[in-house]
Amino acid sequence: RYNYAADTFASAVLTSADIVDMAYDDVDTRNRLYILRNDGRLQHVGINGSTLSVLTTVTVGAAEQLQALKVVNGTLLVQSFDTSTNNTLFRTFSDTGTGGSGNPRTFDLDVREGLIDTVTGRVYGLRRDRSDIGYISVAGTTIQQAETPVYSGGTFTGLQGPIRLSNKADQLIVAPNYQFRKDLLINDANPELPRWSVRMGRTQYSSLRDYLVHGGHEAIVVDFATDGSASGPGANGVRNGLLALSLAANPASSKVCERSQNQYLNPLHSTNHRVLGLLGAPNAILAVTKTQSHYVFNRLASSDADGDGLSDLFERYYGLNPTSHINPVTGLVDLSRPNDRFTSFDADGRVVYLDEDSLTHIEEFRCGSNPRSTDTDGDGWNDDYEVRNNTSPSDPFDF
């Protein structure tokens, strides 16, 4: 267990390797980590504790294999698979271990890579043939409803999960590249939105591995070609990395700097390294990365430590000084603070531009452009020209 606030590891609570799944319940009155083990034991431990307690034992049939554990508003949902009947089964337990009695419910869903919506009490999952998505509604220890929609308006193949919620909380984003409306209406003729995609410069990313909205940013684990071409296998194979995008101030605005997003690609250094997943931490996004010999927590700071209107992520990504201060309104330097070591200033304290395109740091930040490049998107038009003419300095197809 890693304490990201203190940057230390807590004492171990388990040494054996027979874990099926784990789930965390951060409600203040519980604040527990739940652990489901192969032998059916459902255990819990307080987040500050080091001793496990057995909450209950999940009794399953001889042909059943335990697969997943989810916590939905204090209710524990356990998924298993019966190899004799080829059915997926679901049981519910309270946070005190009661429930789970009687016959389990059978649904054609797999929630191992699913999404928990605490507002509706739904657990979204994939159909077992990976052709569609559905949900289970949970209230107390009762499964109220299960829907496994088969939409007539689209054909879906190769859905992988995980399922994540979009930045507006109105869409489900499903790996590798699908978007669905969140309401999941049965017999909806048009369930599929345009496929998820994002372009950074001239490279198109149409496949995601994980997705998180946190701290004013979208963080996306993407695959990209190591030869710098486009999404998909490249001459040197495919490497994955972390792509972070700032949330636009007003995506529907007619003003380019209000609808722009800053984009930061952090590729891994080796094809043997993988980003396993994303976590939200105070003032940061954590990417859990597996190397050949270690698990590494990479921190992307989403705060603005010096209060100059530039996020720490922007300043660190472009090699600026996150402890300097530039007034976000006037663009002038607070000379009482340490200056950015990569920037000089004129007699009036105005920024002398790193890339000579006449945009200050705060203008580059607000308009989604690179303070170290005169032409961020490489379309032949300088960033300051594009901003003055209300075209995107980071989109090569908008000029």
Side-chain angles (χ1 to χ4, degrees):
R1 296 179 299 155
Y2 173 67
N3 184 331
Y4 48 73
D7 195 21
T8 59
F9 283 92
S11 58
V13 297
L14 192 66
T15 56
S16 57
D18 62 344
I19 297 174
V20 174
D21 202 1
M22 295 185 291
Y24 178 57
D25 187 357
D26 60 359
V27 175
D28 290 339
T29 55
R30 290 182 291 268
N31 209 26
R32 290 173 172 174
L33 176 69
Y34 293 95
I35 299 173
L36 179 64
R37 302 177 70 157
N38 279 328
D39 60 8
R41 280 181 293 166
L42 186 55
Q43 299 176 300
H44 67 88
V45 60
I47 198 60
N48 295 317
S50 59
T51 303
L52 284 168
S53 300
V54 177
L55 186 67
T56 187
T57 298
V58 182
T59 303
V60 298
E64 281 185 67
Q65 300 171 347
L66 292 168
Q67 291 186 323
L69 171 65
K70 301 291 182 183
V71 180
V72 191
N73 296 332
T75 297
L76 310 181
L77 181 70
V78 176
Q79 173 183 314
S80 64
F81 181 71
D82 191 329
T83 58
S84 64
T85 61
N86 208 32
N87 289 328
T88 305
L89 309 176
F90 294 89
R91 297 172 173 86
T92 54
F93 299 86
S94 72
D95 62 346
T96 61
T98 61
S101 59
N103 295 324
R105 301 288 297 275
T106 301
F107 302 114
D108 182 23
L109 279 180
D110 184 347
V111 301
R112 282 177 289 184
E113 294 286 343
L115 169 74
I116 299 170
D117 184 355
T118 57
V119 175
T120 61
R122 291 178 176 178
V123 181
Y124 292 94
L126 302 175
R127 285 179 61 108
R128 284 174 46 213
D129 63 2
R130 299 300 192 259
S131 66
D132 213 332
I133 52 179
Y135 64 85
I136 295 173
S137 293
V138 177
T141 56
T142 302
I143 297 176
Q144 290 190 321
Q145 180 184 20
E147 303 287 2
T148 55
V150 178
Y151 292 111
S152 59
T155 301
F156 317 114
T157 58
L159 299 178
Q160 297 175 9
I163 302 173
R164 296 292 185 256
L165 200 59
S166 70
N167 61 342
K168 294 183 179 180
D170 59 349
Q171 302 166 15
L172 300 176
I173 297 178
V174 184
N177 53 9
Y178 285 95
Q179 290 177 249
F180 294 88
R181 279 193 286 270
K182 183 183 172 185
D183 50 8
L184 289 182
L185 299 177
I186 298 296
N187 297 321
D188 186 343
N190 297 292
E192 182 187 2
L193 296 170
R195 289 196 177 195
W196 175 90
S197 65
V198 64
R199 183 170 54 240
M200 185 174 181
R202 294 185 177 274
T203 301
Q204 185 84 18
Y205 302 96
S206 58
S207 180
L208 63 87
R209 300 293 175 183
D210 202 357
Y211 178 94
L212 176 69
V213 180
H214 184 74
H217 291 81
E218 294 175 278
I220 310 161
V221 179
V222 294
D223 285 344
F224 65 98
T226 56
D227 63 0
S229 58
S231 177
N236 300 311
V238 173
R239 184 180 301 175
N240 85 331
L242 179 60
L243 179 64
L245 299 94
S246 62
L247 299 180
N250 182 2
S253 175
S254 60
K255 299 178 180 180
V256 65
C257 290
E258 292 183 1
R259 64 176 186 268
S260 294
Q261 292 179 285
N262 288 293
Q263 303 179 10
Y264 318 96
L265 176 64
N266 295 270
L268 298 184
H269 298 296
S270 169
T271 55
N272 294 322
H273 297 178
R274 300 292 297 176
V275 181
L276 300 180
L278 304 170
L279 301 169
N283 299 320
I285 296 168
L286 296 179
V288 184
T289 302
K290 184 180 184 300
T291 69
Q292 289 176 296
S293 58
H294 296 85
Y295 290 93
V296 180
F297 292 87
N298 298 309
R299 182 192 300 266
L300 298 180
S302 56
S303 58
D304 178 10
D306 55 15
D308 62 1
L310 307 175
S311 72
D312 293 351
L313 178 55
F314 178 88
E315 297 199 63
R316 293 183 187 281
Y317 188 81
Y318 289 114
L320 307 178
N321 187 348
T323 62
S324 70
H325 180 76
I326 301 172
N327 188 299
V329 177
T330 65
L332 302 181
V333 177
D334 181 350
L335 298 179
S336 67
R337 300 191 182 209
N339 291 340
D340 190 322
R341 64 184 184 278
F342 291 104
T343 310
S344 58
F345 308 94
D346 61 23
D348 296 322
R350 189 75 180 177
V351 176
V352 176
Y353 321 104
L354 285 174
D355 52 13
E356 300 181 353
D357 63 6
S358 82
L359 294 178
T360 64
H361 287 352
I362 195 68
E363 290 168 331
E364 303 261 22
F365 175 71
R366 289 174 175 170
C367 299
S369 53
N370 181 350
R372 294 186 173 277
S373 172
T374 57
D375 181 11
T376 297
D377 55 16
D379 61 3
W381 300 95
N382 279 8
D383 293 343
D384 55 349
Y385 175 88
E386 295 214 56
V387 170
R388 289 198 304 272
N389 288 276
N390 205 38
T391 61
S392 174
S394 59
D395 184 350
F397 301 99
D398 181 18
F399 54 85

